[in-house]
Amino acid sequence: MMRKLFICGMMLAGLAGTLASRAALADEGTVDVLYAGSLVNLMERSVGPAFEKETGLHFRGYAGGSNKIANEIRGKLRRGDVFVSASPKVNDSLEGAANGDHVTWYVNFAESPLLIGYNPQSRFAAEFKSKRWDQVLQEPGIRIGRTDPKLDPKGAFTVEMMKKAAELYHQPDLVEKTLGAAENPAQVLPEETLVGRLQSGQLDAGFFYSTETSDLKIPAVQPAPELQAKARYTLTILSDAPNSAGAAKFVEFLLSAKGRALLAAHGIDVVRPTVVGNPQAVPSSLQAVIDAAQ
């Protein structure tokens, strides 16, 4: 009886070891990409599938406000291989020993201006074609959506744009009339849900990057040049990436001619990639791709 129990125990231990090995192999074949919520459609429907087809590796994405993701990384609540932010400043919160040394370099690679998008079925839709956008946003009953300025660069850009508009159009109370408090719960929503709420009719208008409005055919108004604000997308391989080799392949793909073409097709302004931080920490294979894109 003891012998049978011993054999069963050995078999179970062997099975557990096999499953653990398979799990490890699966992880080695998976690249975890943490990215700004404004890139959901691009990453999940375009870049991710194309990367998998090109490399045979598995793409696993997580979307959220850039600052929110950075906070989760710094607080050790989330791990990933690649981090794509909508603002270079977000990387600062992950640099240095005090912040966990998660980021030692990053690459600026794309931009996307901030627009005011609206639901074409909204009762205010026609007004966006006949009135200045800030006047429409002051209409009684209009439902506006935006992101949290503390958790997402787009939310901060929105507040910044509205303050500039208040000066440009000589309306001191414009921010109060359109946005209310900075973290107004009637307006502030998670970045990854904002588009869906607009499309479903829960919102009449909102603040979106051009990649979102272009991708999903959302009618939008571009503010005056003096009010321009935009996402400046960056990417990096996190210092504690579980799959650094896979991460390098993903970044190489995104910065390749094929990856850059996908970005452009989704309404993103592709810029010449530039490295900020410690260039010696950039994988040599990636540096070659960056040089080729110059």
Side-chain angles (χ1 to χ4, degrees):
M1 182 66 176
M2 289 296 293
R3 179 178 175 78
K4 287 182 179 180
L5 289 174
F6 175 76
I7 293 174
C8 286
M10 291 295 289
M11 291 175 66
L12 288 172
L15 178 59
T18 300
L19 292 174
S21 298
R22 288 179 180 175
L25 289 173
D27 286 341
E28 287 178 5
T30 297
V31 182
D32 283 301
V33 181
L34 315 179
Y35 62 86
S38 54
L39 300 176
V40 169
N41 196 59
L42 167 72
M43 289 294 183
E44 301 299 332
R45 297 188 180 183
S46 185
V47 170
F51 168 71
E52 292 183 339
K53 184 177 180 180
E54 181 84 7
T55 65
L57 296 173
H58 176 58
F59 167 89
R60 183 163 58 198
Y62 172 77
S66 298
N67 293 98
K68 174 178 177 289
I69 294 176
N71 291 341
E72 291 175 350
I73 294 172
R74 190 171 56 253
K76 298 182 179 180
L77 300 175
R78 187 169 301 281
R79 291 190 70 188
D81 300 307
V82 177
F83 177 41
V84 182
S85 167
S87 172
K89 291 182 180 179
V90 176
N91 296 286
D92 295 343
S93 66
L94 295 173
E95 295 178 338
N99 294 318
D101 282 322
H102 295 285
V103 171
T104 57
W105 60 270
Y106 61 87
V107 178
N108 296 297
F109 71 99
E111 297 178 348
S112 189
L114 184 66
L115 310 176
I116 296 88
Y118 60 91
N119 186 318
Q121 305 304 318
S122 166
R123 62 190 176 96
F124 299 99
E127 294 190 50
F128 278 106
K129 298 178 182 179
S130 60
K131 295 182 179 180
R132 203 172 61 209
W133 62 271
D134 61 292
Q135 296 172 336
V136 184
L137 294 186
Q138 296 179 66
E139 290 286 357
I142 190 168
R143 298 164 300 173
I144 302 170
R146 57 190 175 90
T147 58
D148 191 330
K150 289 185 177 180
L151 299 179
D152 178 49
K154 181 163 56 180
F157 293 154
T158 296
V159 175
E160 177 185 326
M161 176 190 288
M162 294 306 298
K163 288 180 178 178
K164 289 182 179 179
E167 295 181 7
L168 181 65
Y169 300 130
H170 307 291
Q171 298 182 60
D173 57 352
L174 180 61
V175 175
E176 181 183 350
K177 283 186 174 180
T178 55
L179 305 184
E183 297 178 42
N184 181 357
Q187 293 185 354
V188 173
L189 300 163
E191 184 178 29
E192 59 273 21
T193 69
L194 200 59
V195 167
R197 294 196 183 222
L198 182 80
Q199 292 178 316
S200 67
Q202 297 176 59
L203 299 173
D204 295 301
F207 294 83
F208 303 92
Y209 294 129
S210 62
T211 180
E212 298 171 291
T213 59
S214 173
D215 255 358
L216 300 169
K217 312 301 180 189
I218 296 172
V221 178
Q222 184 158 5
E226 301 95 313
L227 305 176
Q228 187 182 69
K230 57 186 174 181
R232 289 182 169 85
Y233 291 109
T234 71
L235 55 79
T236 186
I237 298 173
L238 295 169
S239 300
D240 58 348
N243 185 0
S244 56
K249 290 185 180 298
F250 178 82
V251 176
E252 289 165 22
F253 174 78
L254 194 58
L255 296 183
S256 69
K258 186 176 293 186
R260 287 160 68 84
L262 290 175
L263 293 172
H266 284 263
I268 292 180
D269 298 329
V270 178
V271 301
R272 186 176 69 179
T274 55
V275 177
V276 177
N278 180 11
Q280 282 73 39
V282 180
S284 57
S285 58
L286 176 55
Q287 186 61 59
V289 174
I290 294 172
D291 292 340
Q294 298 298 315

